[in-house]
C-alpha cells in the first residue's frame, strides 16, 4: 500500500473483509430471527439476555487470535518457514488451553453472572442453557478464529471467506431444523456445528499449502511469548470495552422481557450495519502501518483522509436507509402476541435509531484508533477501551434515575464520544 491511490487500495483490501464480517454476523441475525419467529418473544429475550456476556468472551477470543495472526504474517513476510512451523503448534496449544479455561469458566459461572445481572426470572432458564452451550463450545470458536487468522497471515483471505459462506448457509439450515425440537439449545448447537464445519474447511486448506504437513504438536517457549505478547493485550482491550456492557445489560434486564428482546434485536441488526466501518478500519490500519515504515507522513495523511470519506459515506447511506425502514426490518425478526410484539418493537426502534444517529462518531473512533495503531501506538487505543467502558457504566448508573430507559439507549453513543475525544 505504499504506492497507488489510497482510496482504491483500501477499497480492494476492505471488500473481502467486509463480506467476511457480514457473514459472521449472519450467525447472530439468523439465531435472532429463528428464535423470534419460531420460539417467540420470551425465547428471543432469553437469547438477548446473554448477548453482552457472550460478546465479551467472543470479542476477547477475536482479539487474541488477531494478535496471533500478526506473528504468522511477520514470519511469512520474512520468508521464515521454520518459524511458521514452530509457531503453529504452539498457537494451537495456546488456543486449546485458553478455549478450555474460558469455556469451563463460562459453563460453571454463566448462570451466576446472569443472576447478578438481574435477568428476568422467566428468561433465566433458557438464557443459561443457551449461554452454557456456546461457552462450552469455546474451543471450537477459538479453533475457527485461529485457523482463519493463520490463513490470512499467509496471504489467503479467500479460504476463510469461502468457509464462512458455507458455514452461514449450514447455520441457517440447522437453526431451522433444530430450533423447534430443542428450543434455544438447538440454536446454540447449530452455531457450534457450523463453526466446526468452518474449522475443518480451513484446516484442509492449511494442509494443502504444504507448510504444516510435517509439523509436530510441540511447545516452543519463544514463540509462546511472541504470540501472547501480541494476543493478550488485544484480547484484554476488547474485554474491557465489553465489560461495561454487562452493567448496562443489568439495567436493560430491569425493564422486563420485552425491553430485553427489543434492545437485543436492535443491537444485533446494528452490528451488521457497522461491518463496512470495521473493514475500512482494518484497511486504514494496514495502510498507515506500511507507510509509517517508509516513512511517508504525507501519504499517511492522504490515507486517513480517504478513510474518513469512506466512513462518512457509509454512515450517510446507513442512516438514510435505517431511519425510515428500521422498524419494518426489526418486525421481520419477531412474532407473537400483538401487545408484546409492539412493546418489543417500540424498544428496539428507539435503540436502533439512537445507535444509527451516533454512527458518524463511532466511525471516526474506528478511523483514529486504527491510524494510531498503525503508527505503533498501542497504549492510547487500549486506554480508549477503559474510557469507553467507564463512560458506558457511568451513563447507565447516573442517568437512569434522571431519564429512565433513555440512559440505556444513549450509553453507547456517549462512550463513543468520550473515547473519540481521547483518540483525536
Amino acid at each position: 500500500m505504499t504506492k497507488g491511490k489510497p482510496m482504491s487500495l483500501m477499497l480492494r483490501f476492505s471488500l473481502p473483509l467486509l463480506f467476511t464480517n457480514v457473514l459472521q454476523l449472519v450467525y447472530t441475525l439468523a439465531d435472532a430471527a429463528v428464535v423470534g419467529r419460531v420460539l417467540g418473544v420470551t425465547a428471543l429475550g432469553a437469547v438477548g439476555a446473554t448477548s453482552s456476556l457472550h460478546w465479551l468472551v467472543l470479542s476477547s477470543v477475536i482479539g487474541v487470535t488477531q494478535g496471533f495472526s500478526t506473528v504468522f504474517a511477520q514470519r511469512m513476510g520474512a520468508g521464515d518457514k521454520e518459524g511458521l512451523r514452530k509457531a503453529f503448534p504452539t498457537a494451537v496449544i495456546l488456543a486449546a488451553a485458553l478455549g478450555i479455561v474460558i469455556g469451563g469458566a463460562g459453563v460453571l459461572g454463566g448462570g451466576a453472572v446472569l443472576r447478578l445481572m438481574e435477568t428476568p426470572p422467566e428468561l433465566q432458564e433458557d438464557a443459561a442453557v443457551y449461554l452454557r452451550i456456546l461457552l462450552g463450545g469455546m474451543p471450537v470458536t477459538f479453533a475457527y478464529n485461529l485457523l482463519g487468522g493463520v490463513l490470512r497471515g499467509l496471504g489467503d483471505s479467500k479460504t476463510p471467506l469461502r468457509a464462512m459462506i458455507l458455514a452461514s448457509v449450514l447455520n441457517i439450515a440447522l437453526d431451522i431444523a433444530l430450533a423447534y425440537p430443542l428450543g434455544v439449545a438447538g440454536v446454540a448447537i447449530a452455531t457450534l456445528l457450523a463453526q466446526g464445519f468452518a474449522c475443518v474447511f480451513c484446516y484442509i486448506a492449511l494442509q494443502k499449502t504444504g507448510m504444516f504437513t510435517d509439523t509436530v504438536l510441540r511447545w516452543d517457549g519463544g514463540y509462546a511469548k511472541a504470540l501472547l505478547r501480541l494476543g493478550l493485550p488485544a484480547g484484554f482491550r476488547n474485554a474491557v470495552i465489553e465489560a461495561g456492557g454487562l452493567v448496562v445489560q443489568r439495567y436493560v434486564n430491569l425493564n422486563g422481557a420485552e425491553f430485553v428482546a427489543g434492545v437485543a434485536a436492535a443491537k444485533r441488526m446494528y452490528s451488521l450495519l457497522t461491518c463496512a466501518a470495521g473493514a475500512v478500519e482494518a484497511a486504514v490500519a494496514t495502510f498507515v502501518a506500511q507507510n509509517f515504515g517508509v516513512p511517508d507522513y504525507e501519504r499517511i495523511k492522504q490515507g486517513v483522509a480517504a478513510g474518513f470519506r469512506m466512513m462518512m459515506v457509509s454512515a450517510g447511506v446507513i442512516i438514510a436507509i435505517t431511519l425510515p425502514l428500521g422498524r419494518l426490518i426489526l418486525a421481520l425478526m419477531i412474532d407473537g402476541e400483538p401487545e408484546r410484539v409492539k412493546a418489543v418493537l417500540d424498544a428496539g426502534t428507539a435503540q436502533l435509531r439512537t445507535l444509527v444517529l451516533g454512527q458518524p462518531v463511532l466511525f471516526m473512533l474506528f478511523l483514529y484508533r486504527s491510524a494510531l495503531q498503525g503508527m505503533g501506538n498501542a497504549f492510547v487505543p487500549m486506554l480508549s477501551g477503559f474510557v469507553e467502558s467507564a463512560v458506558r457504566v457511568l451513563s447507565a448508573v447516573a442517568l437512569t434515575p434522571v431519564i429512565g430507559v433513555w440512559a440505556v439507549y444513549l450509553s453507547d453513543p456517549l462512550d463513543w464520544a468520550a473515547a473519540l475525544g481521547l483518540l483525536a
Side-chain angles (χ1 to χ4, degrees):
M1 290 195 177
T2 58
K3 295 180 181 179
K5 294 182 178 180
M7 181 78 77
S8 299
L9 291 168
M10 287 193 288
L11 280 172
R12 285 199 296 270
F13 185 93
S14 60
L15 282 176
L17 290 173
L18 170 61
F19 291 136
T20 301
N21 290 346
V22 169
L23 288 168
Q24 283 180 321
L25 285 165
V26 166
Y27 280 129
T28 57
L29 288 175
D31 287 350
V34 171
V35 171
R37 300 293 297 184
V38 176
L39 302 178
V41 170
T42 299
L44 179 61
V47 171
T50 69
S51 58
S52 294
L53 182 56
H54 180 231
W55 181 242
L56 184 153
V57 176
L58 182 58
S59 63
S60 301
V61 170
I62 291 171
V64 170
T65 53
Q66 284 175 342
F68 285 6
S69 69
T70 302
V71 175
F72 289 96
Q74 291 172 345
R75 294 302 89 211
M76 186 66 181
D80 184 5
K81 293 184 179 180
E82 183 61 26
L84 286 169
R85 291 193 178 97
K86 290 181 178 179
F88 181 68
T90 304
V92 170
I93 294 170
L94 284 171
L98 290 170
I100 291 170
V101 170
I102 293 172
V107 170
L108 294 174
V113 174
L114 289 172
R115 289 191 293 273
L116 286 173
M117 293 165 60
E118 300 196 42
T119 303
E122 66 269 32
L123 306 182
Q124 284 190 17
E125 184 177 352
D126 279 348
V129 169
Y130 183 79
L131 186 64
R132 285 182 185 130
I133 293 172
L134 287 181
L135 296 186
M138 198 52 59
V140 177
T141 303
F142 239 118
Y144 167 67
N145 282 279
L146 173 64
L147 295 175
V150 173
L151 284 166
R152 293 186 190 96
L154 298 180
D156 180 3
S157 62
K158 293 181 180 179
T159 298
L161 177 58
R162 293 191 190 104
M164 186 55 66
I165 291 172
L166 295 173
S168 297
V169 173
L170 178 62
N171 184 57
I172 294 170
L174 289 172
D175 274 342
I176 296 170
L178 299 178
Y180 186 75
L182 299 179
V184 295
V187 176
I189 292 169
T191 297
L192 292 178
L193 288 174
Q195 288 182 344
F197 173 82
C199 284
V200 173
F201 190 91
C202 290
Y203 179 77
I204 293 172
L206 277 174
Q207 291 303 305
K208 288 180 179 179
T209 66
M211 290 189 179
F212 306 113
T213 51
D214 299 323
T215 300
V216 178
L217 196 62
R218 183 180 299 165
W219 178 263
D220 187 288
Y223 275 104
K225 291 180 180 178
L227 290 162
L228 292 173
R229 181 176 60 83
L230 292 174
L232 289 183
F236 180 64
R237 183 199 68 199
N238 288 355
V240 167
I241 291 173
E242 297 305 325
L246 296 181
V247 177
V248 176
Q249 185 67 48
R250 177 180 178 275
Y251 283 87
V252 172
N253 294 342
L254 292 174
N255 289 282
E258 290 80 9
F259 189 79
V260 173
V263 171
K267 290 197 171 184
R268 290 191 178 218
M269 179 178 168
Y270 184 73
S271 296
L272 181 62
L273 300 179
T274 60
C275 283
V280 175
E281 180 185 21
V284 170
T286 302
F287 183 94
V288 170
Q290 290 189 9
N291 286 283
F292 188 73
V294 174
D296 188 341
Y297 301 120
E298 186 59 36
R299 186 167 173 81
I300 288 174
K301 293 179 182 178
Q302 294 172 3
V304 173
F308 175 80
R309 291 194 293 273
M310 293 166 67
M311 291 284 197
M312 292 304 103
V313 168
S314 298
V317 171
I318 290 169
I319 289 171
I321 294 173
T322 307
L323 286 184
L325 299 178
R327 189 181 182 93
L328 294 175
I329 297 172
L330 289 175
L332 298 175
M333 302 168 62
I334 304 162
D335 194 14
E337 300 172 7
E339 296 81 4
R340 299 194 75 192
V341 170
K342 181 180 183 301
V344 172
L345 290 177
D346 288 344
T349 302
Q351 177 68 92
L352 183 63
R353 287 174 177 170
T354 307
L355 293 172
V356 168
L357 289 173
Q359 205 163 42
V361 175
L362 176 64
F363 285 13
M364 289 182 68
L365 185 157
F366 285 174
L367 179 69
Y368 288 151
R369 184 172 64 192
S370 61
L372 284 167
Q373 288 172 336
M375 291 187 285
N377 187 335
F379 176 73
V380 173
M382 185 177 71
L383 185 60
S384 73
F386 284 90
V387 171
E388 282 191 62
S389 185
V391 173
R392 185 177 295 179
V393 171
L394 287 173
S395 63
V397 173
L399 295 180
T400 296
V402 181
I403 58 176
V405 295
W406 279 96
V408 171
Y409 298 147
L410 292 171
S411 61
D412 283 323
L414 288 175
D415 76 62
W416 299 338
L420 174 60
L422 173 66
L423 294 168

